[in-house]
Amino acid sequence: MHRRTFLKTLAAGLNGLIGLAVVIPGIRFLLDPLRRASRDRGFIRVASLTSLSAGRPLRVTVLADRWDAYIHHPPGPIGNVWLLRADGDERDPKIRCLHVICPHLGCAIDYAADRSTFNCPCHASEFDPAGRRRFGPSPRDMDELECRITEPDDHGERWVEVKYQEFQTGVPEKRSTA
Ligand code: FES
């Protein structure tokens, strides 16, 4: 190979490498919000176990980090859930977590303690104490979220943690929007 041809090839190769070094981080930067938006936040602590009583649903706000495009916001409210504690063994308590958002069109579901029912104020869907649809336009039962109870911390306190997600409204089956 002539010296000139060799130098030209070498220069083209180096230019290509420099181009890639600039383009790849740029693409990763542009895609970052999408990656963050779809990322799993994992379990989020929402309440102490002692704050729950059997037969008395507790509404709690879920707090977590949020991203708005490229801007990171400190922990703030990302949603609300109902926590339910079943009667039973104190050493092995059973809890469930139901989404506050109505599966019909997304209003916030209330709990009527005098009738032990969940009710949606917008179009009168009613759910039983376990979140099962009784009547009304809701196309399905209340949406359930994964939750767990931690081991006791240094003060002997156990905590309820929820894997928060959002669900599509207006469709018969439960579909995640994540
Ligand atoms: Fe709940 Fe319509 S939004 S019944």
Side-chain angles (χ1 to χ4, degrees), residues 1 7 21 25 35 43 67 74 87 91-92 104 106-107 109 111 118 128 138 145 153-154 165:
M1 192 187 293
L7 288 175
R35 184 178 61 80
F43 282 94
W67 286 270
D87 258 332
R91 286 161 305 169
D92 183 25
H104 179 221
C107 291
I109 296 172
Y111 182 71
F118 287 102
D128 74 9
S138 175
L145 297 153
D153 64 15
D154 293 346
Q165 63 179 109

Side-chain angles (χ1 to χ4, degrees), residues 24 32 39 74 77-78 95 127 136 158:
I24 290 174
D32 199 39
R39 90 178 188 168
I78 58 168
I95 54 159
F127 307 85
R158 299 179 78 186

